[in-house]
Amino acid sequence: MTTTLPFIHRFEPAEAPGKPPILLLHGTGGDENDLMPLGGMIAPGSALLSPRGKVLEGGMPRFFRRLAEGVFDEADVRHRAHELADFVAAAREAYGLAAPVAVGFSNGANIAAAVMMLRPEALSGAVLLRAMVPLTDAPAAAEGSLGLDGKPVLLLSGAMDPIVPSDNAARLAALLGASGAEVEQRVLPAGHGLSQADVNLARDWIGRLAPASA
Ligand code: MLT
């Protein structure tokens, strides 16, 4: 289903009551279709909302601009995080959704982390697959508590990830934790790509979340 909301997106309504809605955020070169099957596997019965990133890099959709691999245009990260949070608010109203749990992969995980930092009210939690720190001057340090109190975050990192250094992922876990999120980080024997262990861990973690209330 599509509406006139300001991102190209796909939406599948919930098939079971009380399941947390899921915001699917694809990686570089993906689109709104990419993670729909993953969403169905890890959050069966949940509503799925899947926007397409608006930034193009050599024709490949992304959620914010980067200057090089792992080097981000942080002004754009901030701008795009607010734009995405505004989309989530509009989609919640249009579709009657509770605050979603973001499930982001790679660039999608990085924008999800930025939304958690800048607009914590937009999300009720996040599964961050192969994420890294999206902002060097994360607002936790500059602006005190971020209102992430108790929000659950599952960070799944790859021990052999050539894009995300392990100390960077650990720093992201620490930053979100210092802002009050309940962070669980697992480092898997994997690279940047997803493995079956990611699917199993994400499904079990989402299954343990409290029922959603709109
Ligand atoms: C990013 O640009 O967000 C990260 O380098 C991950 C990627 O998309 O390759």
Side-chain angles (χ1 to χ4, degrees):
M1 191 195 315
T2 54
T3 68
T4 53
L5 291 168
F7 272 74
I8 296 169
H9 67 283
R10 278 184 63 183
F11 175 69
E12 296 285 347
E15 287 171 359
K19 302 267 186 180
I22 303 294
L23 175 71
L24 296 165
L25 300 167
H26 62 77
T28 301
D31 67 19
E32 67 278 16
N33 299 308
D34 266 35
L35 297 185
M36 294 296 282
L38 177 71
M41 279 189 273
I42 65 178
S46 282
L48 303 177
L49 176 65
S50 184
R52 183 192 302 180
K54 288 186 178 186
V55 171
L56 288 180
E57 181 186 274
M60 296 188 297
R62 288 175 50 84
F63 286 97
F64 57 81
R65 257 171 42 84
R66 66 179 163 183
L67 308 174
E69 193 166 278
V71 184
F72 304 148
D73 175 340
E74 296 200 11
D76 197 57
V77 174
R78 288 174 181 275
H79 167 68
R80 300 291 175 183
H82 285 293
E83 185 181 51
L84 184 61
D86 290 344
F87 163 74
V88 170
R92 285 185 61 189
E93 196 161 317
Y95 297 126
L97 300 174
V101 174
V103 173
F105 168 62
S106 190
N107 180 246
N110 297 341
I111 192 72
V115 172
M116 289 293 274
M117 290 172 170
L118 297 170
R119 294 282 293 276
E121 80 288 352
L123 301 174
S124 62
V127 177
L128 305 176
L129 303 164
R130 310 297 184 272
M132 57 197 293
V133 176
L135 293 163
T136 48
D137 58 339
E143 293 155 30
S145 170
L146 284 178
L148 284 180
D149 288 323
K151 290 206 180 173
V153 174
L154 176 65
L155 175 58
L156 296 181
S157 309
M160 287 91 77
D161 191 330
I163 295 176
V164 183
S166 57
D167 63 324
N168 188 304
R171 203 160 72 243
L172 176 60
L175 269 172
L176 292 171
S179 306
E182 277 205 18
V183 183
E184 178 179 338
Q185 187 192 12
R186 304 284 286 265
V187 181
L188 307 179
H192 197 66
L194 298 182
S195 65
Q196 187 61 45
D198 289 279
V199 175
N200 297 344
L201 288 165
R203 186 188 54 227
D204 292 350
W205 185 89
I206 289 174
R208 290 195 298 273
L209 293 176
S213 52

